[in-house]
């Protein structure tokens, strides 16, 4: 009887497959038995208390299992992960099973109270928290060691027994979403709430940022167009544009924080408590006692890691930077050669040839970025960081520094060493446009086309002419498991970051950059949406409250752009003419203006509150309530004590 | 029987007076009766459940009451204010009555488990949280309106019925503390932990900062001395000094954060949860419903406040700044006059006269600062801020901006408009030394002398030759209630802030400033200690985890000093001589170096962790434990549910 509950709802009618587990071909029977038993086992016995069903396919060699959970189990899991949902009185509160009736749309038979993405996130969390008890190794694989408290799934993944875990798509929902997202050509906002329901907060927030950023660029683009149309070359106009640009970029970054707070409050992640961070899967070391948790887990000396960072990674990054500068010098040689060629034979072809070095250089930059990216990932992983967040920070820092130099060094050189504004404008335009075209192609169209071709062959093999909607579960799983894995929003943010650099660093010499950025971002929204819906496996939802380190990266870029733009304006012949007597006065004025602008930037960043007033009020209300509840507890306890003291 | 507990320990033997309440002379009998009843009434009836005793003096007109509490009541109060104490396993934890046995030094009969300052803080908290129930007014005073939830003590204070509440000194403890603190001349650290036990965290942290800052200035002073002794005038040496100074000032401010974390972790305030902030006593408005707490309380339109700030306060501050600049110009006229006088009759007297304008100006600056201080307090109070923290921030901002300009405008003018380095050095020295002497005098010696005189007359009146230790309780209370009230650490921090400005803003022209600062601070420690122990009433302890907005103020000052020092160095003839061909190159180099230094500053501030590693670990451990406890709760609940599901 006691055993019965966990298997109770395994009945076909109740089982809704949510997550797919693919084990390696030829995984030993005893391992499979042990693993599935652990998954369905009761919480009290250290299991995950989920439901598991093997996928029945004609292909017998494949070990694919579907994981689901009973409605009750999911609600308890929602409490365990600390999900925040909307209450009937429109406030956001942390969900608990005992207070479930106070939540909006809750009903005992409403199985849509938790979105599918939330259910999948809960299952992922429960699977990852399935921990070894007394097992010393994974049954059947003596080399895959376990110790009490080690996450079973992580060990299975690192030892290659578990090939992948991924959440299933919901064909119907996906169709609805993709229709409202990119299916029809329309002017308007993206369905961010629907995206969040389907893909989770991290991805929805990226699309929110992409949309916000695009809208924020429109004023710059609108002001930039007449510069091109009327071929305005007066520097006073450029100065106006640059000043607007600088203040604008500060404002949009500050306002984004407020927008982000509004979105994540609505989604509940602003209030979500940070979970305790477990070691990342790749982390290895000698078993020891973690002083924080008191648990046995691998330990790795922080000094060793520091040595690896400062003696290997840092020199390597410097070397790469040097190499990048070397390539830049080759580009300048090429540029010179093209110019000479153009001078020798003035023809249409030769004037076209002027653009070739920049295009080649742009392609080379993209290739170098790509190779460096792999190297940085390898190095950072080799540094053996304990936490995923620390790994991510080191990776992002490495990649940002290199990409910044790789993309912008030539522009800085042209602007501040060669003082060639015409070449700067030409280079900037070519680099920006080429990199945008390459990115759009490499990121979305290529994978989409490959996926399409694969799907067509797949369907042919299955001898059917069914549309996506009619696929059986087995066919759907087989199709999705071959799809590429979405590796997170890193590359998408990086692309936006570099674009922001192109737009703002030299905005006063090339106002048209904003126009190209807007155009690119509109297609980017569509191609990224397509990528998410059609090209990649569904990713697990990740709750997040902000865009993290990218906010800092964008703000740093906007500080640097104040400096570059001030120098560019100072170097212009028109501004020069204002100070005919003394170069000194010019430089001092420029320096003064720059410091003033920086001071205004910092004061603005300080004065504009990061959260809108109503969100602040709601947060204050929640804090007040929890403090009151605590006080009530203390008071109730004191009353009890009072009685005890009197009656004894 | 039920009534008995709250009066149980009122027995003379148990009553230890902790806090003194002084009511206005001639307060109505019914008011006194009502107020004391509310104080001793049980928590369940909305009272504070404290003990009250009238002070018996020969002077019958005075309404002085002593407040104490039973040991149990204090322990429960410690839980209510969220006190953090050290456990037997050396970790810091929030005190709860139920877990009291796990705390270090806890025993049911150990009445020293809570320090006297903590007990007084608890009593203050309980008194302030004594709230009106159904009363519409204070009995006997129909004009003193009350509404449910209004703090009774605050209304009594604002309506003048309650003259003051202050904690009693502990003569014996005070003697011990003052002996180890300033009683003997010794080289060494202050007894910060004892200061904290006696005066609370805010004051101990100020003395900690003062001591730390003095030690941090010593390297600058040591390096500065040879400049004076050997009359080094080479600018390369000044450049070295300035560079060291800039990096050093960044390092010390970052390291202070770490020191502060170590101190406040040990004192428990780093972990203390922020209490919900009540409206400040002076806040007034029309009764309304607070959207956050849902309680009835005065509301004041934020738009009205903004109007007051931007239409009255801001113009007033600007006017004051203008006036300060006007006074500065008068000073320069005086300076010119003194110079002319010196040229006409070259004598010892006339060369002494050269210093007179600076000294007069320094005195005028101090007077203006003082007057402005009162004006700023009046204005900020008139702006009617709801929270004490918001009031403080607006006051500090107003005062900082004015004091900065008032003190340093003349130096900036001399340095960057008159380019007179000799006058700058002379002015800086005179301003610094004069202001230090004035401050020491006005702050400590004068009140000390007045207090001494008053005490002597007081004792004479009492016709006794007893020492402090032999005073009866009544005599002690009567003496202490006449002492001045310590108004908080604001002025002390402000003095250090301005000193930091004198030392760092123009450090490369006057290295000796650090020497004077160190000498001043050593006497400052003694005179401030004397002030705290002998001149002022004992202040209530205020828990705090850091020096708050002053950290930001000091960091801003160190950023400004990078800019000023770079300009000063750039202006020096020696650096000038390095660029004989082009002034441009000089300015560009200086600008480049300045940007580099600022970048290094920001990177250093970013890289140096704000908390030492072991404190981080301890905090992580606590966070982990609280998350685990929550998980355990959820799990226990799920088990219960499990059983219910099976057995029904």
């Amino acid at each position: 009887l006691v055993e019965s509950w966990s298997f109770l709802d395994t009945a076909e009618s109740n089982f809704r497959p949510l997550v797919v587990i693919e084990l390696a071909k030829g995984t030993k029977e005893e391992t499979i038995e042990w693993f599935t038993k652990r998954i369905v086992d009761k919480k009290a016995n250290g299991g995950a208390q989920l439901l598991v069903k093997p996928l029945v396919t004609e292909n017998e060699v494949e070990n694919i299992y579907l994981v689901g959970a009973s409605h009750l189990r999911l609600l308890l899991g929602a409490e365990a992960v600390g999900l925040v949902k909307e209450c009937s009185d429109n406030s956001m509160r942390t969900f608990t099973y005992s207070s479930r009736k106070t939540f909006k749309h809750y009903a005992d038979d409403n199985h849509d109270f938790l979105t599918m993405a939330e259910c999948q996130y809960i299952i992922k969390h429960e699977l990852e928290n399935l921990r070894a008890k007394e097992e010393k190794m994974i049954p059947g694989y003596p080399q895959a060691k376990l110790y009490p408290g080690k996450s079973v799934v992580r060990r299975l993944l690192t030892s290659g027994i578990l090939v992948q875990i991924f959440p299933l798509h919901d064909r119907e929902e996906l169709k609805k979403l993709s229709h409202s997202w990119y299916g029809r050509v329309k002017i308007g906002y993206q369905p961010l709430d629907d995206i969040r329901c389907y893909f989770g907060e991290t991805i929805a927030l990226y699309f929110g940022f992409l949309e916000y950023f695009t809208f924020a660029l429109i004023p710059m683009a609108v002001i930039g167009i007449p510069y091109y149309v009327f071929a305005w070359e007066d520097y006073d106009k450029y100065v106006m544009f640059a000043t607007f640009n600088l203040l604008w970029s500060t404002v949009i970054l500050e306002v984004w924080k407020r927008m982000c707070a509004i979105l994540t409050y609505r989604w509940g992640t602003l209030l979500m408590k940070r979970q305790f961070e477990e070691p990342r899967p790749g982390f290895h070391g000698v078993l020891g006692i973690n002083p924080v948790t008191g648990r046995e887990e691998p330990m790795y000396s922080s000094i060793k890691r520091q040595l690896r960072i400062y003696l290997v990674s840092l020199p390597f990054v410097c070397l790469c930077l040097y190499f990048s500068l070397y390539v830049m010098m080759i580009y300048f040689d090429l540029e010179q050669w093209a110019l000479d060629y153009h001078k020798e034979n003035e023809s249409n072809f030769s004037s076209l040839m002027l653009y070739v070095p920049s295009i080649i250089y742009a392609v080379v930059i993209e290739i170098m970025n790509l190779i460096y990216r792999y190297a940085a990932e390898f190095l950072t992983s080799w540094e053996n960081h304990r936490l995923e967040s620390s790994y991510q920070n080191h990776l992002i820092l490495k990649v940002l520094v290199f990409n910044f130099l790789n993309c912008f060094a030539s522009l800085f050189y042209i602007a501040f060493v060669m003082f060639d504004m015409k070449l700067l404008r030409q280079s900037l335009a070519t680099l920006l446009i080429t990199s945008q075209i390459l990115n759009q192609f490499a990121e979305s169209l290529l994978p989409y086309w490959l996926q399409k071709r694969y799907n067509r062959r797949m369907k042919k093999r299955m001898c059917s002419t069914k549309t996506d909607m009619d696929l059986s579960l087995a066919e759907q799983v087989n199709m999705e498991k071959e799809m590429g894995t979405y590796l997170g929003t890193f590359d998408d943010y990086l692309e936006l970051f570099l674009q922001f650099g192109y737009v703002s660093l030299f905005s006063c010499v090339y106002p048209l950059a904003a126009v190209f950025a807007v155009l690119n971002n509109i297609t980017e929204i569509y191609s990224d949406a397509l990528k998410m819906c059609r090209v990649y496996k569904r990713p697990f939802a990740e709750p997040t409250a902000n865009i993290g380190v990218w906010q800092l990266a964008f703000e740093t870029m906007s500080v640097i752009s104040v400096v570059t733009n001030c120098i560019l304006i100072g170097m212009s012949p028109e501004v020069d003419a204002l100070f005919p007597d003394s170069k000194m006065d010019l430089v001092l004025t420029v320096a003064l203006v720059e410091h003033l602008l920086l001071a205004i930037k910092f004061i603005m960043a300080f004065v504009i509150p990061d959260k809108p007033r109503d969100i602040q009020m709601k947060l204050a209300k929640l804090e007040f309530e929890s403090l009151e509840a605590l006080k009530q507890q203390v008071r109730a306890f004191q009353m009890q004590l009072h009685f005890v003291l009197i009656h004894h």
Side-chain angles (χ1 to χ4, degrees), chain A residues 542-582:
Chain A
E542 266 317 316
T544 185
N546 50 53
I547 61 170
V549 74
W550 292 105
Q551 183 81 37
L552 188 67
F554 276 80
E555 280 166 8
T556 310
M557 182 70 94
S558 91
V559 168
I560 297 174
S561 71
V562 170
V563 180
T564 53
N565 278 297
C566 283
I567 301 176
L568 282 179
I569 291 172
M571 276 166 26
S572 70
E574 279 80 4
V575 175
D576 229 27
L578 293 177
F579 297 88
D581 309 328
S582 130

Side-chain angles (χ1 to χ4, degrees), chain A residues 361-373:
Chain A
Y361 185 50
V363 174
V364 169
I365 282 179
E366 290 297 319
I367 294 171
M368 278 164 64
N369 279 350
L370 202 70
I371 296 174
Y372 178 82
R373 180 66 207 280

Side-chain angles (χ1 to χ4, degrees), chain A residues 3 50 117 160 172 193 239 358 390 402 451 468 505 511 547 566:
Chain A
E3 282 293 315
L50 301 172
E172 209 162 319
D193 290 333
V239 169
S358 291
S390 146
F402 180 80
Q451 182 64 30
D468 279 4
L505 282 179
I547 61 170
C566 283

Side-chain angles (χ1 to χ4, degrees), chain A residues 38-39 43 46-50 69 73-74 76-81 119-131 151 153:
Chain A
R38 286 301 309 273
I39 294 177
K43 268 272 172 193
Q49 210 160 343
L50 301 172
R73 180 72 193 85
L74 288 172
L76 295 175
E79 179 170 353
V81 298
C119 294
Q120 289 165 338
Y121 173 69
I122 291 165
I123 288 183
K124 176 185 167 229
H125 178 265
E126 294 294 341
L127 284 177
E128 279 185 348
N129 274 289
L130 187 62
R131 293 178 185 287
S151 164
V153 167

